[in-house]
């Protein structure tokens, strides 16, 4: 036993929970050394390419590979007949063909894949494949599909009196266009055949284990022969939850016996992943003369496209969150996911909560106008709070500071009037106005999002943590399969380990499938669930250390680890970790689950389906050139409750980035699909916000602890995306007086041309 | 064909270059320098921004053969006075301007170029200069912070001699 000393004499740990340490992958990323999935290479590597359907719907009468195979440098050309295992895959339903066999159901559906020595050779070979298609009339209207019974899922929610009446009634029909995640790092990966007949896949994904399960199934291999390693991920936002080139690259690698890399170009990327569901939403809100909601009736149709993907879960979110963060005693809600021949839709940040927020927040503004109330005031009067009951009957048992978030954005000082720099007018550097025909408006919105997976899903994460002495210094190794997609999860895992084990040096191992599943980097869940798993594993390691000490020095009650030592509750050191550990590491693996959720009643939509609710509010200020239909967002103020900011800098990054994506949906982002065909699959024609489009943002972060969550945290990533869209549109309405029932708002909506 | 050029201060050669290959492909796939990124390959996103004879270009829009006899500096070639990080790289790291990092190499080069031309840019100057660099993660707020912060640091004297650090990434 060493001489007692306080932990401060050796320095308290920095970079723990609540700090914002520099991200461990940051230096590699700013120097260009970070290996993204598209940067990988291997000796003898081939390049893969995909042939995709040019039709939204067609029968395949035959495929002739002769010309493709004859091209020098081509090593393999594969079709559906070459898929050795299950022919189809899917997140919830295995309905999506690896390669189309008899029929194609959307434009861009993969039909054949090629491996060649050079990527251009592979592309040219794909172009030489002759497919004999018999085009069929595509189903492209979601309501028509609904009428025909082509439905992935219908979720009804019934609460209170279905026939309630109210003094003031407003109704509206709202539409949301198809948004694309538009991550910058294209779908890509490297598949390497292994000596055991299996395959190693280096891949950018959101969930290694769900990929592994689907890839193994399609390859007809046992799961343990398909090993996945997370390569650098260039953004995700939901688009990497489904498979893209995973099975294709593995098929080509196993067929050729050589490493195969596949990298989508931007155009192919628009066809290579699911999108945000377009929505058609009919709302009717009834309120009393004071503006208190009496009922909400809603009929929501989401276009799921050709395959299921995660549409069933998206529909459930739209249904259960579809009246917003408000107390509504009577609800008649029906949400549907339709099957069409449009591009498949699935996960995108906000996941069903984005579309409905545009609907219910537009309605709240309409109700405010009908009653002559201020838009913030009508929301405050109906704001849910802790103890409020959702339309599903679930009681909101955590903090729900809805009114306070609204007050925070309302009370922010108004942004300054334009300075006179012509770049600050709508049109900006295009120099289209010097202020004439420009009007300013302010709008508000607030949204609600569930955090973690819902409806009884067994949602867990796994962490392996080892504490050992390396070079005379205690070091923690944290290993999970959790996907760092840019959000800062690697930083957060290290922070938790530092705090729990009082050790400065933490290494987060690369994520792979040699450790148990971490679940998906989606649903704003990884800080909660993988954070919980890392904390649990660290606590087990601490207990292991104390048990060793206890075996030598008696009971270890109240002891903890800090500053590389075992200390008492008051911080007096009783042992050095070096002594306790010696050459023998302490390692523990823990699976961790949040509290259980429950399925929704299929007739009434009642049930405690969600784990945690999260809220963010926005105030948007816009200048609109009403002659040209140009909008410049001047400023956005955001307020969000995050429970506990594990990494304040990363929290701000999520709020800024999410808000910008919502702005994009409000003003510019739409994948235009006509007769089932995508018209703008490029960054020339599908616009995402540039630094000229995104304004300065002020952010208020509340930290109201959720007693159920690790450290009291609340998922952060999605809420800011949800309400910025309706806030921007509300501001444009305030400036122009136009009704604006569809996003993105196009210039022609503002000039009277439409 | 064979292409010879100076890349990050080193004389490099690539054989068997197909005339349709871009400078981006040349750097990434033939010279082992994947720092410049392939986000759109049509000049819209700026992720592949590199210096060509001192001017920032989208490497995806330049044919590989056009680099013959010229000087290319990519993100791997930028370095601070001590051989460590350039001030722009340092500022991006500290400000939290890096999330997924795919836009980062192009933005670092674009900001490096901006600050070489305009030592104390206004916010409007920064936005105008970076309008060709898309970022999908950050909402640009921390990027603005990083540029302001980098502008307040002394310029990197060694940025002109990029050979002070090895060019290969792996």
């Amino acid at each position: 036993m060493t001489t007692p000393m306080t932990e401060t004499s050796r320095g308290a740990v920095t970079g723990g929970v609540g700090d914002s340490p520099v991200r461990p992958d940051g230096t590699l990323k700013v120097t260009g050394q970070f290996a993204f999935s598209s940067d990988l290479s291997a000796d003898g590597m081939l390049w893969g390419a995909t042939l995709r359907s040019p039709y939204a719907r067609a029968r395949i009468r035959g495929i002739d590979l002769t010309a493709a195979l004859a091209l020098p440098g081509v090593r393999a050309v594969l079709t559906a007949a070459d898929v050795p295992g299950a022919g189809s895959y899917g997140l919830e339903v295995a309905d999506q063909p690896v390669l189309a066999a008899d029929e194609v159901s959307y434009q861009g559906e993969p039909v054949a894949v090629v491996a060649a020595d050079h990527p251009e050779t592979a592309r040219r070979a794909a172009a030489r494949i002759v497919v004999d298609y018999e085009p069929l009339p595509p189903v492209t209207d979601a309501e028509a599909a609904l009428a025909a019974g082509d439905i992935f899922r219908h979720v009804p929610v019934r609460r209170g009196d279905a026939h309630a009446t109210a003094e003031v009634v407003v109704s509206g029909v709202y539409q949301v266009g198809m948004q694309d995640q538009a991550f910058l790092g294209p779908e890509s990966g490297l598949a390497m055949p292994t000596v055991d007949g299996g395959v190693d896949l280096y891949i950018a994904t959101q969930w290694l284990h769900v990929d592994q399960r689907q890839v193994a199934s399609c390859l007809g291999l046992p799961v343990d022969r398909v090993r996945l390693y997370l390569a650098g991920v260039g953004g995700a936002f939901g688009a990497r939850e489904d498979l893209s080139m995973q099975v294709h690259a593995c098929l080509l690698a196993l067929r050729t016996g050589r490493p195969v890399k596949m990298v989508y170009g931007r155009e192919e990327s628009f066809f290579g992943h699911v999108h945000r569901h377009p929505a058609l939403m009919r709302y009717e809100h009834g309120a009393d003369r004071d503006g208190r909601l009496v009922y909400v009736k809603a009929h929501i149709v989401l276009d799921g496209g050709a395959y299921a993907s995660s549409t069933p879960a998206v529909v459930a979110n739209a249904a259960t969150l579809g009246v917003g963060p408000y107390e509504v005693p009577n609800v008649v809600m029906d949400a549907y996911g339709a099957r069409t021949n449009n591009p498949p839709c699935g996960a995108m940040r906000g996941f069903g909560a984005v579309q409905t927020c545009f609907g219910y927040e537009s309605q709240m503004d309409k109700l405010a106008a009908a009653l002559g109330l201020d838009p913030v005031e009508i929301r405050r009067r109906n704001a849910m709070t802790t103890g409020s009951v959702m339309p599903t009957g679930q009681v909101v048992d955590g903090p729900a500071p809805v009114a306070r978030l609204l007050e925070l954005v309302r009370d922010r000082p108004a942004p300054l009037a334009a300075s006179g720099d012509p770049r600050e007018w709508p049109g900006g550097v295009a120099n289209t106005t010097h202020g004439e025909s420009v009007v300013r408006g302010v709008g508000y919105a607030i949204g609600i999002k569930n955090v973690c997976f819902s409806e009884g899903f067994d949602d867990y994460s796994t962490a392996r943590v080892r504490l050992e002495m390396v070079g005379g210094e205690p070091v923690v190794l944290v290993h999970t399969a959790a996907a760092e997609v840019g959000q800062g999860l690697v930083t957060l895992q290290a922070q938790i380990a530092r705090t729990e084990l009082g050790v400065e040096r933490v290494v987060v191992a690369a994520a792979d499938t040699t450790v148990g599943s971490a679940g998906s980097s989606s649903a704003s869940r990884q800080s909660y669930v993988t954070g919980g798993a890392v904390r649990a594993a660290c606590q087990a390691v601490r207990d292991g250390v104390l048990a060793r000490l206890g075996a030598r020095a008696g009971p270890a009650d109240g002891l903890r680890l800090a500053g590389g030592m075992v200390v008492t509750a008051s911080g007096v050191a009783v042992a050095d970790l070096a002594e306790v550990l010696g050459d023998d590491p302490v390692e523990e693996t823990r699976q961790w689950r949040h509290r259980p959720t429950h399925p929704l009643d299929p007739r009434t939509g009642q049930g405690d389906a969600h784990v945690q609710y999260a809220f963010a509010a926005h105030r948007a200020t816009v200048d609109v050139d009403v002659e040209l239909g140009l909008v410049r967002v001047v400023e956005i103020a955001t307020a969000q409750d995050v429970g506990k900011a594990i990494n304040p800098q990363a929290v701000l990054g999520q709020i800024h980035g999410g808000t910008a994506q919502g702005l994009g949906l409000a003003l510019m982002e739409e994948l235009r699909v006509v007769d089932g065909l995508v018209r703008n699959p490029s960054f020339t024609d599908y616009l995402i916000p540039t630094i000229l489009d995104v304004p300065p943002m002020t952010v208020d972060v509340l930290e109201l602890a959720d007693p159920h969550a690790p450290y009291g945290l609340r998922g952060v990533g999605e809420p800011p995306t949800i309400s910025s869209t309706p806030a921007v549109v509300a501001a444009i309405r305030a400036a122009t007086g136009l009704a604006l029932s569809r996003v993105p708002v196009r210039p022609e909506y503002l000039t009277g041309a439409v | 064909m064979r292409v010879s050029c100076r890349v990050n201060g080193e004389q490099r050669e690539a054989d068997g270059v197909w005339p349709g290959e871009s400078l981006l492909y040349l750097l990434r796939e033939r010279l082992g320098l994947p720092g410049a990124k392939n986000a759109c390959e049509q000049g819209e996103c700026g992720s592949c921004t590199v210096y060509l004879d001192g001017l920032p270009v989208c490497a995806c829009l330049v044919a590989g053969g056009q680099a013959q006899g010229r000087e290319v500096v990519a993100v791997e070639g930028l370095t601070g006075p001590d051989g460590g990080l350039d001030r722009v790289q340092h500022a991006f790291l500290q400000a939290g301007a890096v999330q997924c990092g795919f836009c980062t190499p192009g933005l670092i080069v674009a900001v490096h170029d901006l600050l070489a031309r305009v030592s104390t840019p206004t916010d409007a100057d920064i936005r105008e200069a970076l309008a060709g660099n898309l970022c999908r993660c950050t909402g640009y707020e921390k990027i603005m912070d990083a540029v302001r912060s980098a502008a307040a640091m002394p310029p990197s004297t060694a940025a002109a001699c990029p050979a002070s650090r090895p060019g290969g990434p792996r």
Side-chain angles (χ1 to χ4, degrees):
Chain A
M1 187 102 345
T2 54
T3 312
M5 51 185 168
T6 62
E7 64 177 284
T8 50
S9 70
R10 291 263 296 260
V13 71
T14 58
V17 168
D19 286 348
S20 298
V22 167
R23 37 184 318 146
D25 54 5
T27 301
L28 292 174
K29 286 178 173 177
V30 298
T31 54
Q33 319 273 316
F34 184 78
F36 289 94
S37 54
S38 53
D39 298 338
L40 306 175
S41 61
D43 288 342
M45 182 178 88
L46 302 174
W47 290 80
T50 313
L51 177 71
R52 295 174 182 275
S53 166
Y55 298 104
R57 186 173 168 225
R59 190 168 293 123
I60 296 176
R61 289 189 289 225
I63 304 179
D64 184 353
L65 307 178
T66 316
L69 286 164
L71 197 65
V74 172
R75 306 293 168 173
V77 184
L78 306 180
T79 65
D82 300 299
V83 179
S88 300
Y89 61 86
L91 284 172
E92 299 188 27
V93 185
D95 66 346
Q96 184 150 4
V98 173
L99 293 167
D102 305 319
E103 189 169 331
V104 287
S105 300
Y106 72 96
Q107 182 203 17
E109 181 161 356
V111 175
V113 289
V114 178
D117 297 342
H118 190 285
E120 185 60 23
T121 307
R123 283 190 287 268
R124 289 180 180 190
R128 287 176 166 222
I129 297 170
V130 181
V131 184
D132 181 10
Y133 291 107
E134 178 191 343
L136 300 170
V139 177
T140 59
D141 180 77
E143 288 206 297
L146 201 62
D150 282 333
I151 301 172
F152 289 116
R153 190 178 183 190
H154 167 215
V155 177
V157 177
R158 299 286 183 272
R159 176 169 166 73
D161 177 4
H163 305 290
T165 56
E167 290 171 281
V168 181
V169 175
V170 294
S171 59
V173 181
Y174 303 96
Q175 291 182 70
V176 176
M178 185 183 287
Q179 189 179 19
D180 189 79
Q181 300 85 351
F183 50 53
L184 289 194
E187 290 87 345
S188 44
L190 176 65
M192 314 258 284
T194 56
V195 288
D196 63 357
V199 63
D200 287 350
L201 178 63
Y202 297 81
I203 185 72
T205 180
Q206 290 176 235
W207 187 356
L208 286 166
H209 284 80
V210 84
D211 283 12
Q212 181 191 35
R213 171 173 62 76
Q214 296 173 91
V215 172
S217 161
C218 295
L219 297 177
L221 287 172
V223 166
D224 61 6
R225 300 251 292 278
V226 179
R227 291 154 295 254
L228 271 68
Y229 302 85
L230 189 71
V233 183
F237 316 117
R240 297 189 208 271
E241 214 166 33
D242 292 83
L243 296 183
S244 58
M245 42 56 67
Q246 283 89 330
V247 180
H248 299 159
C250 292
L251 284 172
L252 291 168
L254 289 169
R255 174 61 68 97
T256 60
R258 289 170 63 173
V260 174
K261 174 171 166 173
M262 295 186 84
V263 182
Y264 289 178
R266 180 53 50 183
E267 179 173 347
E268 185 169 21
S269 177
F270 277 104
F271 294 102
H273 60 248
V274 299
H275 315 286
R276 187 188 299 293
H277 293 76
L280 178 64
M281 304 176 288
R282 298 172 200 281
Y283 271 97
E284 181 180 309
H285 280 56
D288 66 19
R289 288 274 160 210
D290 294 328
R292 289 195 169 73
L293 290 168
V294 175
Y295 70 83
V296 174
K297 295 177 182 173
H299 184 270
I300 293 164
V301 181
L302 303 173
D303 186 347
Y307 296 109
S309 180
S310 51
T311 291
V314 173
V315 171
N317 268 14
T320 58
L321 306 171
V323 305
Y326 303 115
E327 291 198 331
V328 190
N330 305 296
V331 175
V332 180
M333 161 73 72
D334 289 283
Y336 300 86
R339 184 206 310 268
T340 65
N341 296 110
N342 289 322
C345 289
M348 182 175 173
R349 194 177 197 170
F351 203 79
V354 164
Q355 295 92 331
T356 51
C357 187
F358 175 63
Y360 63 71
E361 286 299 80
S362 297
Q363 284 285 98
M364 293 305 277
D365 283 339
K366 201 175 262 194
L367 190 58
L371 287 157
L373 281 174
D374 173 81
V376 173
E377 182 54 29
I378 190 131
R379 289 172 168 83
R380 288 177 71 247
R381 288 187 188 179
N382 292 288
M384 65 164 50
T385 185
T386 306
S388 293
V389 182
M390 295 290 290
T392 56
Q394 183 167 22
V395 175
V396 178
D397 60 359
V402 173
R404 197 167 156 208
L405 294 170
L406 286 162
E407 290 156 10
L408 282 167
V409 295
R410 180 195 63 193
D411 294 343
R412 278 274 180 181
L416 298 174
S419 71
D421 186 325
R423 291 175 293 188
E424 293 182 9
W425 294 115
V429 294
N431 197 27
T432 52
T433 178
H434 286 187
E436 65 278 10
S437 305
V438 174
V439 287
R440 178 163 287 195
V442 178
Y444 295 86
I446 187 160
I448 180 171
K449 179 70 182 52
N450 59 320
V451 172
C452 302
F453 280 24
S454 299
E455 296 187 82
F457 188 85
D458 183 21
D459 192 19
Y460 67 94
S461 181
T462 315
R464 183 186 298 153
V465 172
R466 187 165 71 194
L467 175 60
E468 64 190 322
M469 299 302 296
V470 177
E473 200 185 335
V475 176
V476 180
L477 179 70
V478 179
H479 189 189
T480 74
E484 167 65 59
V485 298
Q487 78 279 49
L489 189 57
V490 284
T491 324
L492 179 136
Q493 293 180 59
Q495 289 178 256
I496 290 173
R498 287 192 194 103
T499 288
E500 294 300 328
L501 296 174
V503 168
E504 202 102 11
R505 271 186 64 193
V506 179
V507 177
V508 178
D512 57 37
T513 52
T514 66
V515 63
S517 175
S520 181
S521 290
S522 64
S524 305
R525 65 178 284 287
Q526 283 293 24
S527 296
Y528 197 130
V529 189
T530 291
V534 170
R535 187 178 67 162
C538 286
Q539 289 170 347
V541 165
R542 180 198 59 204
D543 292 347
V545 170
L546 296 182
R548 275 194 204 172
L549 182 66
R552 288 177 6 209
D557 293 350
L559 297 182
R560 61 196 172 91
L561 309 190
M565 287 169 292
V566 182
V567 302
T568 63
S570 59
V572 178
V574 298
D576 201 290
L577 274 181
E579 284 177 67
V580 184
L581 291 170
D583 295 331
D584 192 8
V586 176
E587 179 176 301
E588 295 290 345
T589 301
R590 286 292 179 276
Q591 242 181 32
W592 191 85
R593 287 171 167 77
H594 55 68
R595 56 179 169 160
T597 59
H598 304 280
L600 294 166
D601 181 286
R603 287 179 306 106
T604 64
Q606 298 296 294
D608 291 350
H610 296 313
V611 179
Q612 185 187 54
Y613 294 102
F615 309 91
H618 286 93
R619 181 193 70 189
T621 305
V622 304
D623 282 342
V624 183
D625 182 330
V626 294
E627 278 188 0
L628 297 176
L630 299 176
V631 177
R632 174 173 175 268
V633 183
V634 176
E635 187 221 55
I636 296 183
T638 308
Q640 184 171 339
D641 173 29
V642 304
K644 165 72 182 172
I646 304 292
N647 183 318
Q649 189 184 68
V651 162
L652 289 178
Q654 287 298 304
I655 293 173
H656 292 147
T659 300
Q661 289 182 0
L663 181 157
L665 178 59
L667 293 178
M668 61 191 81
E669 292 189 37
E670 183 178 6
L671 208 53
R672 310 241 335 221
V673 182
V674 179
D675 298 331
L677 304 180
V678 178
R679 306 307 298 268
N680 56 340
S682 75
F683 277 166
T684 307
D685 299 311
Y686 182 91
L687 302 182
I688 65 173
T690 71
I691 199 167
L692 290 171
D693 302 308
V694 180
M697 294 180 246
T698 68
V699 179
D700 285 297
V701 173
L702 291 182
E703 296 185 76
L704 307 179
D706 180 340
H708 300 286
Y711 307 106
L713 72 82
R714 187 176 306 284
V716 174
E718 292 171 287
T721 304
I722 292 167
S723 44
S724 68
T725 305
V728 168
V729 177
I732 303 171
R733 289 191 195 111
T736 63
L738 295 167
L740 302 179
S741 59
R742 188 184 192 282
V743 286
V745 174
R746 298 178 188 163
E748 57 265 36
Y749 300 174
L750 303 176
T751 58
V754 172
Chain B
M1 64 183 183
R2 168 178 289 190
V3 177
S4 307
C5 52
R6 282 186 76 75
V7 180
N8 297 336
E10 283 180 49
Q11 192 61 37
R12 301 290 301 269
E13 285 188 351
D15 283 315
V17 176
W18 171 62
E21 288 175 13
S22 64
L23 173 58
L24 181 63
Y25 188 91
L26 185 77
L27 291 170
R28 290 175 54 80
E29 305 297 340
R30 302 223 177 253
L31 299 178
L33 292 168
K37 289 286 165 277
N38 54 317
C40 77
E41 297 186 72
Q42 60 176 150
E44 294 288 354
C45 74
S47 304
C48 63
T49 305
V50 299
Y51 283 114
L52 180 62
D53 287 348
L55 288 174
V57 297
C58 288
C60 70
L61 295 183
V62 177
Q66 286 179 280
Q68 174 64 36
R70 299 172 78 177
E71 168 99 32
V72 179
V73 177
V75 69
E76 294 100 329
L78 299 181
T79 175
D82 53 357
L85 298 180
D86 176 81
R87 62 175 171 164
V88 180
Q89 293 168 323
H90 182 76
F92 268 64
L93 195 54
Q94 294 296 326
V98 179
Q99 288 190 31
C100 90
F102 212 80
C103 69
T104 305
L107 268 162
I108 298 265
V109 174
V111 174
H112 188 271
D113 171 66
L114 168 67
L115 297 183
R117 291 184 287 111
V118 186
S119 59
T120 51
T122 64
D123 282 3
D125 293 338
I126 298 170
R127 290 185 191 276
E128 187 173 351
L130 302 183
N133 290 80
L134 298 175
C135 169
R136 192 55 159 166
C137 297
T138 67
Y140 304 104
E141 280 288 90
K142 296 295 184 186
I143 291 171
M144 292 295 297
D145 286 348
V147 180
R148 295 181 196 114
S149 152
M153 296 178 205
S156 309
T157 50
C161 48
S164 62
R165 210 176 46 184
R170 293 186 301 267

XYZ file of all heavy atoms in Angstrom, chain A residues 701-723:
168
model
N -28.812 25.276 -25.142
C -28.832 23.858 -24.781
C -29.297 23.724 -23.337
O -28.691 24.306 -22.431
C -27.429 23.225 -24.949
C -27.421 21.799 -24.415
C -27.014 23.244 -26.415
N -30.380 23.003 -23.147
C -30.826 22.671 -21.790
C -30.279 21.300 -21.415
O -30.155 20.419 -22.262
C -32.355 22.625 -21.717
C -33.140 23.930 -21.850
C -34.634 23.642 -21.690
C -32.674 24.937 -20.818
N -29.965 21.132 -20.142
C -29.513 19.828 -19.665
C -30.402 19.391 -18.500
O -30.046 19.548 -17.338
C -28.042 19.881 -19.239
C -27.107 20.193 -20.394
C -25.631 20.120 -19.995
O -25.103 18.989 -19.861
O -25.032 21.189 -19.806
N -31.578 18.891 -18.848
C -32.528 18.410 -17.842
C -32.436 16.883 -17.839
O -32.867 16.219 -18.779
C -33.947 18.862 -18.190
C -34.132 20.367 -18.448
C -35.581 20.673 -18.806
C -33.690 21.183 -17.248
N -31.857 16.352 -16.803
C -31.501 14.932 -16.794
C -32.725 14.030 -16.899
O -33.735 14.251 -16.232
C -30.721 14.612 -15.524
N -32.599 13.004 -17.725
C -33.596 11.931 -17.789
C -33.119 10.830 -16.848
O -32.068 10.228 -17.084
C -33.702 11.412 -19.217
C -34.738 10.297 -19.339
O -35.082 9.671 -18.302
O -35.202 10.042 -20.458
N -33.869 10.554 -15.794
C -33.369 9.596 -14.806
C -33.182 8.182 -15.358
O -32.458 7.385 -14.769
C -34.463 9.616 -13.721
C -35.668 10.217 -14.353
C -35.164 11.138 -15.422
N -33.780 7.870 -16.508
C -33.650 6.514 -17.058
C -32.388 6.339 -17.884
O -32.001 5.208 -18.192
C -34.857 6.196 -17.940
C -36.154 6.248 -17.209
N -36.546 5.283 -16.324
C -37.135 7.176 -17.209
C -37.726 5.601 -15.817
N -38.100 6.746 -16.331
N -31.764 7.424 -18.305
C -30.699 7.343 -19.311
C -29.331 7.480 -18.662
O -29.180 8.134 -17.627
C -30.893 8.446 -20.344
N -28.317 6.875 -19.280
C -26.958 7.029 -18.764
C -26.588 8.510 -18.656
O -26.773 9.261 -19.616
C -26.082 6.329 -19.810
C -27.009 5.434 -20.567
C -28.364 6.076 -20.505
N -26.116 8.896 -17.506
C -25.724 10.297 -17.230
C -26.899 11.269 -17.405
O -26.699 12.475 -17.441
C -24.550 10.749 -18.122
C -23.365 9.819 -18.056
C -23.068 8.962 -19.111
C -22.552 9.779 -16.919
C -21.998 8.088 -19.033
C -21.475 8.898 -16.838
C -21.201 8.059 -17.906
O -20.148 7.199 -17.828
N -28.098 10.741 -17.589
C -29.251 11.612 -17.821
C -29.371 12.123 -19.240
O -30.194 12.998 -19.518
N -28.573 11.563 -20.149
C -28.510 12.137 -21.500
C -29.781 11.879 -22.298
O -30.557 10.963 -22.013
C -27.289 11.596 -22.254
C -27.277 10.141 -22.731
C -28.028 9.942 -24.035
C -25.836 9.687 -22.924
N -29.946 12.692 -23.318
C -31.064 12.541 -24.248
C -30.456 12.544 -25.656
O -29.526 13.306 -25.922
C -31.991 13.743 -24.069
C -33.301 13.694 -24.818
C -34.154 14.916 -24.468
N -34.322 15.048 -23.021
C -35.139 14.288 -22.291
N -35.878 13.375 -22.869
N -35.223 14.435 -20.994
N -30.969 11.695 -26.526
C -30.449 11.636 -27.890
C -30.523 13.005 -28.559
O -31.491 13.738 -28.386
N -29.491 13.330 -29.332
C -29.336 14.702 -29.827
C -29.514 14.836 -31.328
O -29.985 15.854 -31.817
C -27.929 15.230 -29.438
C -27.665 16.586 -30.064
C -27.782 15.318 -27.933
N -29.170 13.801 -32.090
C -28.936 13.983 -33.526
C -30.136 14.381 -34.357
O -30.009 15.162 -35.297
N -31.313 13.836 -34.043
C -32.440 14.050 -34.947
C -33.298 15.285 -34.654
O -33.769 15.930 -35.595
C -33.322 12.798 -34.963
C -32.629 11.628 -35.623
C -33.407 10.353 -35.432
O -33.407 9.823 -34.302
O -34.011 9.884 -36.402
N -33.582 15.598 -33.381
C -34.534 16.688 -33.128
C -34.259 17.983 -33.892
O -35.213 18.609 -34.378
C -34.448 16.880 -31.609
C -34.067 15.533 -31.096
C -33.134 14.967 -32.126
N -32.999 18.416 -34.048
C -32.803 19.697 -34.722
C -33.174 19.682 -36.197
O -33.408 20.744 -36.788
C -31.306 19.982 -34.538
C -30.690 18.668 -34.250
C -31.728 17.867 -33.523
N -33.227 18.475 -36.800
C -33.611 18.398 -38.211
C -35.112 18.573 -38.386
O -35.574 18.925 -39.465
C -33.214 17.011 -38.776
O -31.826 16.838 -38.560
C -33.495 16.898 -40.252
N -35.868 18.288 -37.325
C -37.303 18.120 -37.468
C -38.037 19.456 -37.569
O -38.865 19.663 -38.456
C -37.820 17.261 -36.292
C -37.269 15.835 -36.452
C -39.338 17.267 -36.233
C -37.424 14.975 -35.240
N -37.725 20.378 -36.665
C -38.530 21.599 -36.607
C -37.941 22.762 -37.387
O -38.610 23.788 -37.549
C -38.767 22.005 -35.147
O -37.593 21.889 -34.379
